[in-house]
Amino acid sequence: MVTLAARQGRQLQRYSSTGGRLVVGCIPYKFDVNCSSNDLLHSLEVLVISSQKGYGMMFPKGGWESDETVKQAASREALEEAGVQGNVERRLGKWKYKSSTQAINESVMFPLKVTEELVHWPEMSARQRKWVSVEEAREGCKHPWMREALDRLVRRLSSLIRNRKSATVA
């Protein structure tokens, strides 16, 4: 078994022109194939993690480092913090938010369609992960910008599902 380690330090951290960190995150998702509902969106589950400080739930996110692309950073954060791998899809958007140090960070969020859930991952002793419904994620997430990213993901997936249903009917 290969032991994975989370990156430490901020030597490679990217910063905005105003001095805030450039942060990348993702919303890991899957569809529950055992869901009894015919509505695919009701079978949508998202993976949330606990913050290291224990304040509620959130989606994996962290610093975008200078030796990786933005999508590589999103994938790395999902692996380190949530222990999942998958396909990073088209970005959901960009947000600015105040950090705990009052700096203005800039964050980019992506959907990550999960293809593999690891038994062991770098931050498994520091974080808990849990598959939840969209409603549970909305209620439990303390960051308004993350809730907005979730809403964008739901709208995007709803549109894709509607378009596929229309194509099969035609």
Side-chain angles (χ1 to χ4, degrees), residues 105-124:
N105 290 344
E106 295 179 17
S107 177
V108 177
M109 291 292 283
F110 294 89
L112 181 119
K113 188 169 187 182
V114 174
T115 57
E116 184 176 6
E117 195 170 338
L118 304 176
V119 175
H120 301 284
W121 69 96
E123 295 186 17
M124 65 185 286

Side-chain angles (χ1 to χ4, degrees), residues 45-60:
E45 295 180 323
V46 294
L47 187 65
V48 293
I49 58 171
S50 61
S51 76
Q52 287 185 316
K53 297 175 181 98
Y55 308 127
M57 56 177 101
M58 59 194 299
F59 298 113

